[in-house]
Amino acid sequence: MKKFNFRKVLDGLTAASPVGSSGGGSGSGAGGSVHPGGTAGAAGTPREEIQETLTSDYFQICKTVRHGFPYLPTALAFDPVQKILAIGTRTGAIRILGRPGVDCYCQHESGAAVLQLQFLINEGALVSACADDALHLWNLRQKRPAILHSLKFNRERITYCHLPFQSKWLYVGTERGNTHIVNIESFILSGYVIMWNKAIELSTKTHPGPVVHLSDSPRDEGKLLIGYENGTIVFWDLRSKRADLRAYYDEAIHSVAWHHEGKQFMCSHSDGSLTLWNLKSPNRPFQTTIPHGKVQRDGKKPESCKPILKVEYKTCKNSEPFVVFSGGLSYDKPCRRPSLTIMHGKAITVLEMDHPIVDFLTLCETPYPNEFQEPYAVVVLLEKDLIVVDLTQTNFPIFENPYPIDIHESPVTCTEYFADCPPDLIPVLYSVGAKHKKQGYSNKEWPISGGAWNLGAQTYPEIIITGHADGSVKFWDASAITLQMLYKLKTSKVFEKQKVGEGKATAEIVEEDPFAVQMMYWCPESRIFCVAGVSAYVIVYRFSKHEVNTEIASLEVRLQSEVEDIITPEPETNPPFPDASSQLPSLKSLSGSTNTVACEGTMKDSIPCLSVKARPVRMPPGYQADLVIQLVWVDGEPPQQITSLAVNSAYGLVAFGNCNGLAVVDFMQKTVLLSMGTLDLYGSSDPYQRQPRSPRKSRQFAAGLTELSDSPVSLELERCKSPTSGKDHVNGHCTSPTSQSCSSGKRLSSADVSRANRRGPGRPPFRKAQSAACMEISLPVTTEENRENSFSRSRSSSVSSIDRDSKEAITALFFMESFARKNDSAVSSCLWVGTGLGMVIILSLNLPASDDSRHSEPVVVSPSGTVLTLKGAVLTFACLDCMGTLTHQPYEVWRDPHSADDGDKTRKRKLVMHSPSSSQDMGDHQFAVICSEKQAKVFSLPSQTCLYVHNITETSFLLRADVVTLCNSVCLACFCANGHIMTLSLPSLRPLLDMNYLPVTDMRIARTFCFTNEGQALYLSSPTEIQRLTYSQEMCDNLQDMLGDLFTPVETPEAQNRGFLKGLFGGSGQAFDREELFGEATAGKASRSLAQHIPGSGGIEGVRGAAGGVIGDLTRARIALDERGQKLGELDERTASMMASAEAFSKHAHEVMLKYKDKKWYQF
């Protein structure tokens, strides 16, 4: 255990870490000072020793589980005995699903799209065929599946695969029309090949096209049905190596399905028709139907429809067969949604889907193809959903899906993750969320019920919150690496709906998704929840178990950086908002359509972007809106988007900032306490001594409004600029683009800026607004070449950089009990404000002394004069007590605001001001941890001495930083734009972990990555999936116990007794020996150049994967025995060889001895 003594702080830190953002300069103001980062002074240095328990051995990074719907699905497979489902995707991923909790993600290294999946039924294995013409065999008998074998085709492209039940020979059809056969056990190609020119008639002059279907006859395994794309069907006799029959149809074939007796089969075609064929009369189909075609009056063939992409033909013992197909709708209804049609007898049911159908499978009671199939459900894989239809009920209801596959119901715009939160929250949220459950689902059990899962050792509660583009917020129970929806909150319900046709009269700043959630802040202890929306508003929610009917309180805030327009009201009075009619009538207005500038009308002023409902609103139990705060238009300029947000329930305050300044609102008294430009927060402590510019010369542009520019000038500027820095024109110091902050995705040259200024007041150059959602997390990209530089801003800002010298975004806010000034002897309520230029300003909060007067007496917010500096935009704050323990922010213990037993409002608030509560005396000092995009610093308070500084990155910048607890200790976790995940010890900022783990390939990752306690983190890996990971060694070690088992020992059901007569007349009596036919002895070897065998790492990986369990021990022992046996065998052979050699030598020596035995020496 390492000990650190603060008395031995080296002064050399100053030289090692010069301040980046201020160049070491200090502009001291009244009652405060600016300390260059890295200065270590003796004044006020604490004398106690802090014991840091965390070492690098506590850290290790690994992915734990992936939640959500598989992104861009392409293939589907089901094991009817194990009852597990596999989904392949365009990105080469496979998701395997069983009972809730059994959810496995694996990835092909090539990243090639998955074309087809085939289970080895009840064998614990899966075959995948990929777009790079490779076949892979996955071992599912381990918790993390691995590839055992791969076979890469070199000269032919794979189009279709078929693996008969209980067979070890896989049929592979190719684009050239040939059919190859692969041994599943050895993954070696057989010499037996069905060439296309042998399969079709010699007289046929055209190529039949790729193989689109392969299946063996249910009646005779020795017969293979081959479907070619152009409409040719060949029934191939594998024993005699010739075609038994051929059938031709003049429409392209998409799929084929057998009747279980093996006497007839059905084909689906490109003209929307289904044909039924009999093996006895293959000349033409004995039945042709176009299910959705209109019957012509003159008796002609019905008109053709859209292609039927797949058909399944399933028989029932006690009812008519089911025919299920996708597509086939009539062309005269272009707006019809994708559909699945179920034909059962004469009844035709069309199930319309919300998304295009990728694939579907009919689930049947038996795995044997030659028995009555008895279908009971249809699994439908859509582009963005998974649906299971119950076939056992006449109205075909769908099953309620237990998987969290609706994360992307509306695009995710932000995420928050809370581990080890209060245990009562999950049942409380579930109880209010359960009331919104939909009705009409099937009453049967979810049919995909395979695998096994247990809770494991990890038991602390975890909650994930996702914010969405439509304004909804979802709370998820994420305990024990599962994910279950708890509660959904619709934030858009506080606003009036925009009626169609009124678009031009609105003050909206975004056209699409005006309610998109941009930031969220949640206090689990007090249950206060706050969201910031893309339309520059903040909503404060309180939690209640009771339904209420009430009006929604709302406030409007003017926030801009010009001195003469700033309104700083007295705390006891409401701020004066100038009336819109008092503005100069000559000033022109911006059209509400947001991408054009109107030439008539009055200038917008003091108008919010959205309208809050004025009438009483029914609020169901759960989160209920307590206050809506909206930023308003000022002098024709739209409000800038919010870049930082903080709430404190004990203080009753909410603070938020943007690139113009900071607003602090008392949500208990519903008053605005502070609305101030960033420059004015400094007072005389501004280290740069910048002068506010005239409002007439500084018309700027709305935050988040982006334009895809192809300007050669702006491209050149962007190319030569570092992705992590911009130059401040006035002071010449490098900052992250977050700091310059305001407005558009277009980079402006100096000529552009001067042109913009010449437009005159009220005529800013506006661009089309795009929300965070429609840009997939608001990523302004100038051109394709600039994509690698597109991560040039911090997570807190939703806008890209523009060179600015007067505006400084508020990027981080933090309420805490701390020492506001150097000479303070006791902690007081403070608001810490971090800016995009790396400045930290401490504001003092003067709260009413007694709880009784909290609702009547004003709260006073005043600058303390203290300013600290860091390099790069400030990302996060935290506070440690004198023992190095993380102190929780003050909070109010939750009480129901509408409880029945609380008749009056005088019930006392229960506040927790210091946490941990055991140390009521905070001591005479504390540590402030501040992390920016470039560096982390630890200050001792009240002396404001910088004790430790760590320059985290020079060439990149941090996207996220969080102070988290791990193993009863505390550390700083950072995620860098270059893909590195780092942890630093606290308070000494020793590097504990630095791993290049996650390349930021998408702004989505940057926007949604977040750390939480107990070594957990998450990010959105695709628009539909959440990837969770851990940076804790302990959790990596225990992960195997927490993951579900995909394979469980299940007896294969016995085949039905077919009866004597059926066996005699119903099919071929002789057993079909594939081994004899396809084996090397008979068929010979395949050409080596045709396919290349690649051994997989599945065996060894399987041992490592199952390292924690008995299976792992057995597997290891078996492999060790195999190796020992192999070595013993080699030793036996060597011994035998040596014995034979010795015997030969002895015999030869004996012969020589006999030859010369009786000879004298002179006879030699």
Side-chain angles (χ1 to χ4, degrees):
M1 196 177 288
K2 198 163 182 180
K3 293 186 177 182
F4 291 92
N5 193 324
F6 289 115
R7 285 174 292 183
K8 298 179 181 178
V9 175
L10 299 176
D11 288 333
L13 253 68
T14 313
S17 308
V19 71
S21 53
S22 65
S26 62
S28 57
S33 61
V34 174
H35 296 276
T39 302
T45 303
R47 294 175 297 280
E48 291 83 356
E49 292 179 348
I50 303 285
Q51 292 184 335
E52 292 186 0
T53 56
L54 289 181
T55 63
S56 56
D57 298 335
Y58 283 79
F59 296 92
Q60 174 63 39
I61 295 182
C62 69
K63 291 179 180 176
T64 54
V65 68
R66 184 172 290 212
H67 303 298
F69 182 75
Y71 185 53
L72 301 173
T74 53
L76 185 65
F78 183 71
D79 186 326
V81 180
Q82 286 288 322
K83 295 196 183 302
I84 56 174
L85 186 81
I87 299 172
T89 76
R90 200 181 299 169
T91 57
I94 298 175
R95 282 284 287 283
I96 304 167
L97 303 168
R99 68 176 68 244
V102 177
D103 184 344
C104 180
Y105 166 83
C106 26
Q107 174 75 42
H108 291 95
E109 283 184 14
S110 66
V114 178
L115 298 179
Q116 200 178 347
L117 295 170
Q118 289 265 313
F119 275 104
L120 277 66
I121 294 173
N122 206 25
E123 295 288 336
L126 176 73
V127 174
S128 60
C130 295
D132 60 350
D133 306 305
L135 295 170
H136 306 277
L137 179 65
W138 293 84
N139 176 18
L140 307 184
R141 292 183 179 235
Q142 55 196 56
K143 293 192 175 185
R144 287 192 180 259
I147 292 175
L148 291 168
H149 299 282
S150 296
L151 189 67
K152 179 85 166 67
F153 280 74
N154 297 322
R155 295 186 306 197
E156 297 207 49
R157 308 220 64 183
I158 298 169
T159 55
Y160 194 87
C161 299
H162 170 64
L163 180 66
F165 178 47
Q166 293 182 326
S167 164
K168 69 173 186 177
W169 297 93
L170 175 76
Y171 301 112
V172 181
T174 69
E175 199 172 49
R176 289 187 184 178
N178 303 325
T179 302
H180 300 275
I181 298 164
V182 177
N183 184 318
I184 288 295
E185 290 177 352
S186 61
F187 242 56
I188 293 173
L189 211 56
S190 166
Y192 192 114
V193 185
I194 305 170
M195 303 299 287
W196 67 272
N197 54 353
K198 298 279 177 64
I200 63 170
E201 283 185 311
L202 293 173
S203 58
T204 308
K205 294 180 181 178
T206 56
H207 189 280
V211 175
V212 295
H213 178 82
L214 292 167
S215 60
D216 53 340
S217 164
R219 195 178 185 199
D220 182 358
E221 294 173 340
K223 304 286 177 68
L224 185 70
L225 189 75
I226 307 171
Y228 294 95
E229 190 179 64
N230 75 344
T232 302
I233 299 159
V234 175
F235 196 49
W236 184 265
D237 188 327
L238 292 163
R239 297 184 194 87
S240 62
K241 300 183 182 178
R242 63 182 179 81
D244 264 12
L245 61 88
R246 298 179 181 92
Y248 300 96
Y249 193 70
D250 53 5
E251 292 290 342
I253 291 176
H254 283 284
S255 73
V256 183
W258 280 101
H259 185 282
H260 83 273
E261 290 179 349
K263 296 176 183 176
Q264 58 189 37
F265 58 87
M266 183 179 284
C267 299
S268 72
H269 300 278
S270 56
D271 64 344
S273 64
L274 295 173
T275 54
L276 199 56
W277 301 77
N278 197 313
L279 292 180
K280 290 183 179 177
S281 55
N283 295 330
R284 67 170 191 266
F286 76 85
Q287 184 181 322
T288 303
T289 56
I290 301 181
H292 294 297
K294 284 184 180 176
V295 180
Q296 307 289 349
R297 288 181 182 175
D298 50 5
K300 289 183 182 176
K301 180 183 170 185
E303 63 180 25
S304 62
C305 296
K306 294 175 183 175
I308 294 178
L309 300 176
K310 183 175 181 179
V311 65
E312 294 209 338
Y313 186 21
K314 302 296 180 184
T315 52
C316 304
K317 199 168 190 175
N318 300 319
S319 69
E320 297 285 330
F322 280 89
V323 176
V324 185
F325 63 87
S326 61
L329 292 180
S330 137
Y331 279 109
D332 65 352
K333 295 179 182 174
C335 297
R336 283 281 290 271
R337 292 191 291 178
S339 68
L340 185 82
T341 305
I342 301 171
M343 298 168 65
H344 188 216
K346 292 183 178 179
I348 298 181
T349 305
V350 178
L351 303 177
E352 290 194 336
M353 305 293 169
D354 292 332
H355 309 284
I357 296 172
V358 174
D359 199 358
F360 72 89
L361 286 173
T362 308
L363 308 189
C364 301
E365 296 289 353
T366 175
Y368 295 93
N370 58 359
E371 297 177 356
F372 280 105
Q373 297 298 287
E374 304 296 348
Y376 60 89
V378 180
V379 178
V380 189
L381 178 65
L382 309 177
E383 275 189 5
K384 293 184 178 179
D385 205 354
L386 179 72
I387 290 171
V388 183
V389 181
D390 186 353
L391 292 181
T392 62
Q393 298 180 46
T394 52
N395 60 338
F396 303 132
I398 64 169
F399 290 86
E400 187 172 8
N401 198 318
Y403 308 133
I405 59 170
D406 57 346
I407 291 171
H408 63 287
E409 188 178 15
S410 171
V412 177
T413 51
C414 55
T415 56
E416 291 296 337
Y417 191 5
F418 299 87
D420 208 8
C421 47
D424 59 333
L425 275 173
I426 289 175
V428 161
L429 287 168
Y430 183 78
S431 67
V432 294
K435 292 170 184 172
H436 304 295
K437 295 286 182 190
K438 294 178 183 174
Q439 303 299 315
Y441 288 112
S442 169
N443 53 11
K444 297 281 182 69
E445 288 288 317
W446 179 251
I448 304 161
S449 55
W453 178 78
N454 58 358
L455 273 169
Q458 181 188 316
T459 54
Y460 52 81
E462 297 172 72
I463 291 177
I464 292 171
I465 308 177
T466 54
H468 299 263
D470 63 355
S472 61
V473 175
K474 292 180 181 178
F475 290 77
W476 306 84
D477 175 7
S479 309
I481 68 170
T482 61
L483 196 69
Q484 184 182 2
M485 172 92 146
L486 291 172
Y487 172 67
K488 182 177 178 180
L489 170 67
K490 294 180 179 177
T491 64
S492 60
K493 285 193 170 181
V494 304
F495 299 106
E496 297 285 1
K497 284 185 180 175
Q498 199 63 52
K499 292 180 182 174
V500 180
E502 288 185 7
K504 294 194 175 177
T506 67
E508 288 184 11
I509 56 172
V510 284
E511 285 178 330
E512 200 173 336
D513 301 321
F515 307 114
V517 178
Q518 202 169 13
M519 305 184 92
M520 301 180 293
Y521 193 99
W522 190 45
C523 175
E525 289 79 12
S526 64
R527 303 187 191 173
I528 290 279
F529 182 64
C530 196
V531 295
V534 75
S535 297
Y537 62 82
V538 170
I539 310 174
V540 181
Y541 286 91
R542 288 182 183 271
F543 187 85
S544 174
K545 295 180 181 178
H546 303 279
E547 182 178 311
V548 291
N549 259 297
T550 183
E551 288 191 11
I552 301 167
S554 65
L555 286 174
E556 294 177 357
V557 178
R558 288 170 71 92
L559 196 58
Q560 63 173 23
S561 59
E562 283 76 28
V563 172
E564 53 265 54
D565 288 337
I566 285 184
I567 294 165
T568 316
E570 290 300 314
E572 63 270 11
T573 63
N574 281 329
F577 292 119
D579 187 64
S581 61
S582 66
Q583 301 300 313
L584 290 173
S586 61
L587 296 177
K588 305 301 179 194
S589 167
L590 172 75
S591 158
S593 63
T594 73
N595 56 353
T596 56
V597 178
C599 297
E600 69 273 345
T602 57
M603 176 182 289
K604 286 187 171 65
D605 188 72
S606 302
I607 306 170
C609 303
L610 303 169
S611 302
V612 179
K613 289 178 180 175
R615 62 188 181 278
V617 177
R618 185 188 74 84
M619 297 184 188
Y623 275 105
Q624 299 167 350
D626 188 52
L627 178 63
V628 180
I629 309 155
Q630 294 192 88
L631 293 178
V632 295
W633 289 65
V634 179
D635 294 342
E637 289 186 12
Q640 304 292 321
Q641 286 180 0
I642 292 161
T643 55
S644 55
L645 177 67
V647 191
N648 191 280
S649 55
Y651 302 161
L653 302 179
V654 55
F656 58 94
N658 62 10
C659 63
N660 282 334
L662 170 71
V664 181
V665 172
D666 183 340
F667 63 80
M668 294 178 72
Q669 296 186 28
K670 311 287 190 288
T671 57
V672 180
L673 302 177
L674 182 78
S675 171
M676 188 178 278
T678 313
L679 296 186
D680 298 282
L681 293 174
Y682 292 102
S684 56
S685 304
D686 183 7
Y688 303 135
Q689 296 301 317
R690 291 161 294 191
Q691 295 302 315
R693 290 160 53 169
S694 159
R696 291 288 170 256
K697 291 184 180 175
S698 62
R699 296 281 174 221
Q700 300 302 340
F701 321 116
L705 305 185
T706 59
E707 181 179 77
L708 299 181
S709 161
D710 53 3
S711 156
V713 180
S714 61
L715 178 59
E716 234 12 80
L717 281 169
E718 193 56 34
R719 267 205 199 112
C720 63
K721 191 192 293 182
S722 154
T724 61
S725 68
K727 256 322 193 183
D728 186 302
H729 292 313
V730 173
N731 303 297
H733 56 272
C734 281
T735 61
S736 146
T738 333
S739 54
Q740 345 241 343
S741 85
C742 267
S743 100
S744 103
K746 182 175 180 181
R747 276 65 172 175
L748 300 184
S749 64
S750 55
D752 290 330
V753 173
S754 62
R755 273 201 302 275
N757 287 339
R758 283 202 301 272
R759 292 170 197 256
R763 299 281 304 276
F766 271 89
R767 296 157 179 79
K768 182 179 178 182
Q770 291 194 341
S771 76
C774 66
M775 300 195 64
E776 282 192 331
I777 323 304
S778 185
L779 170 60
V781 178
T782 313
T783 61
E784 198 62 39
E785 297 108 316
N786 190 34
R787 195 172 290 281
E788 67 271 12
N789 287 346
S790 58
F791 310 111
S792 55
R793 63 173 177 78
S794 115
R795 66 179 180 86
S796 57
S797 168
S798 63
V799 291
S800 65
S801 72
I802 183 170
D803 292 334
R804 304 289 301 280
D805 54 69
S806 65
K807 293 205 175 184
E808 182 177 0
I810 307 294
T811 56
L813 294 166
F814 188 66
F815 288 103
M816 65 174 162
E817 294 283 299
S818 68
F819 300 93
R821 299 173 184 82
K822 265 193 173 183
N823 53 0
D824 283 1
S825 57
V827 294
S828 59
S829 305
C830 294
L831 171 61
W832 288 60
V833 181
T835 77
L837 295 183
M839 311 305 294
V840 177
I841 305 158
I842 304 177
L843 301 180
S844 291
L845 307 173
N846 191 354
L847 298 160
S850 67
D851 187 54
D852 298 335
S853 56
R854 177 62 186 86
H855 284 275
S856 55
E857 290 186 18
V859 178
V860 179
V861 183
S862 56
S864 66
T866 301
V867 179
L868 308 171
T869 64
L870 283 86
K871 234 189 328 188
V874 178
L875 293 183
T876 193
F877 297 103
C879 185
L880 309 181
D881 66 14
C882 57
M883 302 305 294
T885 308
L886 184 66
T887 57
H888 198 289
Q889 294 183 65
Y891 64 89
E892 176 190 358
V893 177
W894 176 78
R895 57 173 184 165
D896 197 322
H898 306 297
S899 67
D901 59 345
D902 185 20
D904 57 352
K905 296 282 182 182
T906 58
R907 193 172 61 162
K908 281 225 166 211
R909 299 164 69 222
K910 186 179 177 185
L911 305 183
V912 178
M913 300 305 284
H914 305 295
S915 179
S917 54
S918 57
S919 57
Q920 287 298 325
D921 181 16
M922 295 279 290
D924 58 353
H925 66 272
Q926 62 181 184
F927 307 115
V929 181
I930 310 172
C931 186
S932 74
E933 289 180 324
K934 295 286 187 180
Q935 67 179 187
K937 286 186 178 182
V938 175
F939 290 92
S940 175
L941 300 178
S943 68
Q944 298 174 10
T945 306
C946 180
L947 296 172
Y948 292 102
V949 62
H950 180 73
N951 290 312
I952 297 168
T953 175
E954 292 295 336
T955 56
S956 186
F957 58 96
L958 295 187
L959 293 162
R960 178 85 184 208
D962 291 293
V963 174
V964 293
T965 56
L966 177 69
C967 301
N968 297 317
S969 194
V970 62
C971 65
L972 174 65
C974 309
F975 175 52
C976 195
N978 60 16
H980 284 250
I981 293 176
M982 294 163 277
T983 59
L984 304 171
S985 71
L986 289 176
S988 66
L989 298 178
R990 282 179 301 116
L992 298 172
L993 171 77
D994 185 352
M995 187 177 286
N996 187 5
Y997 188 71
L998 181 67
V1000 184
T1001 53
D1002 199 305
M1003 197 64 208
R1004 186 187 311 106
I1005 298 173
R1007 182 74 175 166
T1008 57
F1009 195 101
C1010 52
F1011 296 99
T1012 187
N1013 299 330
E1014 307 304 331
Q1016 306 245 45
L1018 66 79
Y1019 62 94
L1020 216 66
S1021 56
S1022 75
T1024 62
E1025 295 167 289
I1026 287 175
Q1027 177 68 57
R1028 287 164 70 179
L1029 53 98
T1030 181
Y1031 49 95
S1032 158
Q1033 179 69 60
E1034 183 185 5
M1035 189 166 177
C1036 288
D1037 294 342
N1038 297 332
L1039 187 58
Q1040 288 301 320
D1041 297 330
M1042 299 166 70
L1043 294 172
D1045 288 298
L1046 295 171
F1047 179 79
T1048 51
V1050 180
E1051 285 288 327
T1052 303
E1054 290 185 10
Q1056 293 174 8
N1057 188 359
R1058 302 187 67 206
F1060 172 72
L1061 290 174
K1062 221 167 196 181
L1064 195 61
F1065 302 110
S1068 63
Q1070 64 191 50
F1072 173 57
D1073 188 353
R1074 293 188 179 91
E1075 183 68 45
E1076 184 184 332
L1077 202 56
F1078 304 144
E1080 194 176 309
T1082 311
K1085 287 185 177 180
S1087 168
R1088 284 189 176 182
S1089 61
L1090 185 61
Q1092 174 189 359
H1093 176 257
I1094 306 162
S1097 59
I1100 305 302
E1101 288 297 320
V1103 177
R1104 286 182 191 151
V1110 179
I1111 296 170
D1113 296 337
L1114 288 172
T1115 313
R1116 267 201 305 274
R1118 184 171 55 76
I1119 288 181
L1121 282 171
D1122 288 348
E1123 289 174 354
R1124 185 165 174 266
Q1126 191 178 348
K1127 286 176 181 174
L1128 284 171
E1130 289 172 2
L1131 188 63
D1132 282 348
E1133 286 173 15
R1134 208 176 297 142
T1135 307
S1137 169
M1138 287 173 69
M1139 283 177 68
S1141 161
E1143 211 171 299
F1145 179 75
S1146 168
K1147 187 179 176 184
H1148 185 65
H1150 187 67
E1151 286 172 358
V1152 171
M1153 184 267 293
L1154 289 175
K1155 185 177 179 181
Y1156 297 106
K1157 181 180 172 186
D1158 299 322
K1159 291 189 178 183
K1160 302 294 183 185
W1161 64 271
Y1162 50 82
Q1163 291 176 318
F1164 287 115

